[in-house]
Amino acid sequence: AEFKDLLYGHYGIAALKEGFEPLRRADLDLSIQSASLEMTLIPVLGRENVEVRATLEPMEQGASAPAEMPAQAARDLPSRPATVSDALPMTPGVVRENGGALAISAGAEHRSAMIVNSADVTDPATGQFGLTVPMDSVEEVDVYQTAYLAEYGRFTAGLVSVATRRGGDKWKWELNDPLPEFRIRSWHLRGLKDATPRLNFEGPLLTSKLNISEGVEYEVRRTAVYTLPFPYNQKKQEGFNSFTQLDWAASAKQWVTATVHLAPERLGFVNMDYFNPQPTAPDASTHNYTGTVAHHLAIFGGVFENTFSMTRFDASVWGQGPADLIVTPSGNLGNYFAQTSRDAKRFSGTSNYSFVPIEILGTHNLKIGVYAAGSTETGEVAEHPIEILDASGQLTEQIAFPRTHQFQISDTEYAAFAQDHWIVSPRLALDLGVRTESQQVSGAVRVALRSGVSWRPFSGAGAVVRAGFGLFYDRVPLNVYCFNKYPDRVITMYDDGVVSAGPFLYLNTLGQSKVKSPFVRQQPIDGNFSPRSAIWSVQVEQPLARSVKLRLGYMRNDAAGLVLLDTVAPDPVTNTGAYLLEGAGESRYWQLEATTRVGLSEGRQLFFSYVRSHANGDLNDFEKYLGAYPVPVIRDNRSATLSADLPNRFLAWGSLQLPWKAVIYPMLEYRNGFPYIVTDAAQNYVGIPNQDRFPNFFSLDSRLSKDIQVSKKYAVRLSLSAFNLSNHFNPEAVHSNVADPAYGYFFGHRGRRFTVDFDFLY
């Protein structure tokens, strides 16, 4: 049941049904926030005490509102996103770069955090999200670029909060995409293209006591790279993604949720493109296992929550053979240079207590909590030589790696927070909080202050003004502290086939940073990094009609102390230099956003957003060199426009009801092209990096579906999806080396295309 257009104030609510105990809530506060209640009626014969339990939203704050992505809306998009990561670019402020990396507020993925049912699920070694939860198991995804509650930390760019589906009181089954898709070329069958069967079911194992929800997908994909000729353009992906959730109502005052996420995956020809064909692209095998147990207890008028989780990420990356990697202005030859294997684990626990509201000068909703985690990583890195050739094929530089290295590291993290959502009056609320974080391996203790305000200047359900400011700190991934165990580089320069300089030995070293801030206390040790952001924002929400809401917002994120890789020139006597990881990086990002949601009948809606933004900062983020697939060439650091910068982006999607009970799901995106760097034959920057851009991107996609009722219990959903209906020129690649004869040529256009699929509904 949903109650719309209620004035802000205090309400009573009751649920009555014959044969069940009456259920009442005498004082429901709608002063500032909307409220959601889960009310379970108990049969009269049960003779149990009844207590109303409020189902709190994943995050509740007045200072800013999230970009919401209902799971059902995401699943219905033309692209049919399989996981949470696939759906994230449909929200403002989140983009997927040409190379496939996610960026929130133009920050690399490791600068953001992802929590699933309040449990951290990021990779301890890299900070990446990994293979995320299947969308079929998700209830809602909230993306926060400004999460001011002190409860949340360990990020400087954004927070992705995922709430998963609970099993219902009736058994439901759904089988999606049961049949494989074959590749047809020139009217001939050319093998399997995709097979992505997905099975989802939910229901009660014990009526009103224990429910289960399961989403499982088996995935085989052969993704075509349009810049390469068939059949040597097929990326390969095969994996299993399962998410299981059990919900146990232990009593009227306590409930337990347990989840298990299993995601093994095998990848072939990763990051393959025109400049990195099959022989130069690596293969990989990854495994992601996460288990969580959360216990909620209503006690002393408040709620005591304890969550324990275990996450394991292991990955192996290898090339197609032992040949040297050859880098030329027109593309690479040979085999991928890095072979890595690693195993990372994290055990963590959180304890939070939400107090009963305190009535002093308004209403205070206090919450306190602690967090502790232990992480480990073990691994090995071996790298093949790299040769850099000029346009005539002459060797200009050789990079050798004299040794294979193994590494092992462990870390312990602690955090504590206290926050107060203070409802001063029915039209004014404040968020105040403080959070402390420590990371043993960095030898740093950090204090983050958070504040926010939500103000309704006019009585009734009119405009809401939100503003906030907060300090945020990154958790530094373990790979950073393994850098000095990576193979050193020996670089030799050539001219006309003769050694012209070197060889130079470059050692991998960790630097020290000194933060002049009263909120950071450091130990004088190598790697004492404290990446941090100061973020502030202002938002105005204004209902334009009963079903139309407009949001205008401005936010700014100034980051400092980011971990970057820089070069120390070799000593002229010893010919020894260094690659130095130091906490001296900076970035600046601002964003102006206008978002409108239009609610239609039968739960249908349309979403429109326009974002104007700019991002600049240091380019040598450590992730390029210490991530899962490091790049071969290390350039000197520069401060310039960031690779995820998009000055203008318009996004629209939604669903519309058509005659004959058909539904259409349109999706439109128009934006500037991503920036790209220009290099010379020696792979050095030419001019200022990222000053040139791809052509503007425009794509109109759509999905048309209709449910056909086969019987009272079974139905079939037929769908037709269309992509780039306007056939707009959207190139995927550019020749960006000035020594390349095709310099400046854009290519790799994916034209108009269609797919057909169907699902079984039980």
Side-chain angles (χ1 to χ4, degrees):
E2 184 176 358
F3 300 89
K4 296 183 177 180
D5 300 327
L6 296 179
L7 297 178
Y8 288 84
H10 296 267
Y11 288 83
I13 187 170
L16 307 174
K17 183 175 177 65
E18 184 177 355
F20 293 82
E21 300 281 359
L23 195 57
R24 292 182 174 86
R25 172 74 178 266
D27 188 13
L28 178 62
D29 187 357
L30 295 182
S31 301
I32 291 293
Q33 301 276 146
S34 61
S36 175
L37 293 178
E38 179 180 321
M39 305 174 71
T40 303
L41 294 176
I42 306 299
V44 173
L45 295 179
R47 302 300 181 190
E48 295 187 30
N49 294 327
V50 178
E51 178 173 325
V52 179
R53 295 199 307 265
T55 301
L56 300 178
E57 296 179 358
M59 298 181 65
E60 181 182 348
Q61 65 175 5
S64 68
E68 299 175 349
M69 171 67 75
Q72 186 57 53
R75 290 192 290 268
D76 291 334
L77 291 173
S79 57
R80 304 296 300 273
T83 67
V84 171
S85 293
D86 296 335
L88 289 178
M90 293 299 101
T91 58
V94 183
V95 298
R96 188 177 293 280
E97 302 178 57
N98 281 341
L102 279 173
I104 302 179
S105 297
E109 190 173 302
H110 67 83
R111 291 183 54 197
S112 296
M114 175 175 284
I115 57 175
V116 176
N117 300 329
S118 299
D120 186 355
V121 296
T122 53
D123 184 350
T126 65
Q128 306 292 308
F129 294 166
L131 187 60
T132 53
V133 175
M135 282 303 300
D136 291 334
S137 298
V138 173
E139 185 68 29
E140 184 168 319
V141 179
D142 291 335
V143 179
Y144 282 84
Q145 294 176 270
T146 52
Y148 292 117
L149 290 185
E151 179 177 357
Y152 299 94
R154 305 185 301 281
F155 62 91
T156 58
L159 172 68
V160 179
S161 177
V162 180
T164 56
R165 281 171 36 176
R166 296 186 177 187
D169 292 331
K170 294 183 178 180
W171 284 100
K172 297 179 182 178
W173 301 77
E174 187 173 334
L175 179 61
N176 300 320
D177 297 336
L179 299 181
E181 180 181 354
F182 295 94
R183 190 178 302 280
I184 306 294
R185 291 180 60 88
S186 302
W187 306 103
H188 289 83
L189 181 65
R190 302 301 297 268
L192 180 69
K193 180 181 179 182
D194 293 320
T196 57
R198 308 193 310 275
L199 174 65
N200 308 283
F201 62 87
E202 62 176 65
L205 297 177
L206 297 175
T207 303
S208 300
K209 284 292 185 182
L210 181 63
N211 291 2
I212 186 173
S213 175
E214 168 69 35
V216 59
E217 175 187 31
Y218 176 71
E219 180 179 45
V220 177
R221 293 186 186 273
R222 302 289 185 267
T223 304
V225 177
Y226 281 73
T227 57
L228 292 170
F230 182 86
Y232 307 106
N233 67 340
Q234 304 293 300
K235 291 185 189 178
K236 300 179 181 180
Q237 180 178 354
E238 182 176 0
F240 177 82
N241 197 354
S242 169
F243 187 85
T244 306
Q245 178 166 327
L246 294 170
D247 293 285
W248 176 38
S251 69
K253 290 189 176 183
Q254 59 178 323
W255 62 102
V256 179
T257 298
T259 65
V260 177
H261 183 208
L262 307 176
E265 188 176 35
R266 175 70 182 267
L267 303 171
F269 307 120
V270 182
N271 296 332
M272 180 174 63
D273 57 24
Y274 176 86
F275 303 101
N276 294 281
Q278 280 188 356
T280 67
D283 290 350
S285 174
T286 66
H287 301 85
N288 178 6
Y289 307 114
T290 300
T292 67
V293 176
H295 178 259
H296 308 262
L297 175 64
I299 185 173
F300 303 128
V303 179
F304 185 43
E305 302 170 281
N306 292 281
T307 302
F308 302 94
S309 68
M310 184 281 293
T311 295
R312 176 180 176 180
F313 283 81
D314 65 70
S316 297
V317 178
W318 61 93
Q320 306 300 323
D324 295 353
L325 177 65
I326 301 174
V327 179
T328 78
S330 301
N332 297 339
L333 306 170
N335 298 137
Y336 186 66
F337 76 104
Q339 179 173 319
T340 64
S341 62
R342 60 179 178 83
D343 186 353
K345 303 182 184 70
R346 179 174 57 242
F347 297 88
S348 65
T350 61
S351 292
N352 303 327
Y353 184 71
S354 300
F355 291 86
V356 64
I358 301 173
E359 303 293 337
I360 300 177
L361 299 177
T363 303
H364 296 266
N365 297 281
L366 299 175
K367 188 173 186 178
I368 61 174
V370 295
Y371 168 86
S375 305
T376 61
E377 181 187 13
T378 58
E380 180 179 271
V381 179
E383 295 176 320
H384 302 306
I386 301 169
E387 297 180 1
I388 299 178
L389 309 184
D390 62 16
S392 64
Q394 290 293 319
L395 178 65
T396 62
E397 182 179 340
Q398 184 183 58
I399 306 172
F401 305 90
R403 291 180 296 172
T404 297
H405 279 259
Q406 296 179 339
F407 53 83
Q408 182 174 359
I409 194 169
S410 60
D411 186 27
T412 304
E413 299 175 72
Y414 301 100
F417 75 90
Q419 65 191 34
D420 180 15
H421 181 63
W422 178 14
I423 303 174
V424 182
S425 73
R427 291 165 50 184
L428 177 65
L430 302 176
D431 286 305
L432 303 171
V434 62
R435 178 183 181 88
T436 62
E437 298 177 347
S438 69
Q439 188 173 2
Q440 184 184 47
V441 72
S442 71
V445 178
R446 307 137 186 169
V447 179
L449 303 180
R450 313 280 176 82
S451 63
V453 61
S454 178
W455 175 49
R456 191 175 299 278
F458 311 107
S459 60
V464 178
V465 180
R466 307 176 189 272
F469 173 81
L471 299 177
F472 299 83
Y473 299 93
D474 266 333
R475 168 204 288 129
V476 184
L478 295 182
N479 268 7
V480 168
Y481 297 97
C482 299
F483 177 62
N484 55 4
K485 302 293 177 57
Y486 275 46
D488 301 319
R489 294 190 173 209
V490 177
I491 298 179
T492 307
M493 311 302 295
Y494 291 84
D495 187 7
D496 289 333
V498 179
V499 175
S500 61
F504 303 104
L505 173 63
Y506 284 82
L507 304 175
N508 301 323
T509 60
L510 291 175
Q512 294 186 20
S513 64
K514 188 173 182 180
V515 180
K516 296 180 180 179
S517 171
F519 304 111
V520 178
R521 175 171 293 182
Q522 299 172 295
Q523 297 179 18
I525 61 175
D526 293 342
N528 60 347
F529 307 134
S530 292
R532 57 202 179 275
S533 284
I535 303 176
W536 64 272
S537 65
V538 178
Q539 289 183 350
V540 178
E541 291 185 358
Q542 175 64 58
L544 302 180
R546 181 173 181 177
S547 58
V548 181
K549 180 184 290 186
L550 172 67
R551 178 193 299 167
L552 300 175
Y554 177 85
M555 65 88 65
R556 185 177 179 92
N557 184 327
D558 293 317
L562 304 180
V563 183
L564 59 85
L565 184 65
D566 213 343
T567 305
V568 177
D571 182 273
V573 177
T574 63
N575 277 1
T576 301
Y579 290 117
L580 176 66
L581 271 187
E582 56 181 343
E586 296 182 349
S587 72
R588 290 156 296 281
Y589 176 79
W590 63 262
Q591 171 183 304
L592 180 65
E593 175 192 351
T595 301
T596 301
R597 288 184 182 271
V598 181
L600 304 176
S601 59
E602 299 182 4
R604 305 300 179 187
Q605 66 173 348
L606 295 174
F607 172 87
F608 304 90
S609 78
Y610 168 73
V611 172
R612 181 166 179 78
S613 63
H614 178 62
N616 67 292
D618 291 296
L619 299 184
N620 277 20
D621 187 284
F622 74 87
E623 188 272 337
K624 296 179 182 178
Y625 313 102
L626 303 181
Y629 310 103
V631 298
V633 178
I634 299 177
R635 302 183 179 93
D636 292 339
N637 180 56
R638 296 281 187 89
S639 181
T641 299
L642 296 180
S643 60
D645 176 72
L646 288 180
N648 299 281
R649 187 191 189 204
F650 177 78
L651 187 66
W653 53 264
S655 58
L656 295 169
Q657 191 73 44
L658 298 180
W660 301 295
K661 297 184 178 180
V663 183
I664 188 170
Y665 305 93
M667 185 175 70
L668 182 148
E669 182 178 10
Y670 176 78
R671 58 169 172 78
N672 295 109
F674 284 109
Y676 64 90
I677 62 172
V678 177
T679 56
D680 60 16
Q683 303 300 317
N684 297 315
Y685 291 124
V686 174
I688 300 175
N690 289 335
Q691 293 299 296
D692 298 280
R693 290 184 177 272
F694 280 80
N696 288 348
F697 178 93
F698 175 78
S699 183
L700 174 60
D701 308 333
S702 183
R703 177 170 172 259
L704 178 67
S705 72
K706 178 177 173 55
D707 292 352
I708 300 176
Q709 203 69 36
V710 179
S711 66
K712 184 177 180 180
K713 190 176 181 181
Y714 304 103
V716 174
R717 177 172 296 164
L718 301 178
S719 301
L720 172 66
S721 297
F723 303 91
N724 196 10
L725 282 167
S726 67
N727 204 32
H728 187 268
F729 179 61
N730 297 321
E732 295 183 353
V734 60
H735 290 268
S736 59
N737 192 295
V738 295
D740 186 341
Y743 169 66
Y745 177 70
F746 293 95
F747 62 109
H749 167 58
R750 301 186 67 183
R752 186 185 299 111
R753 56 201 186 277
F754 301 89
T755 62
V756 177
D757 58 75
F758 66 92
D759 307 323
F760 292 120
L761 309 178
Y762 298 85

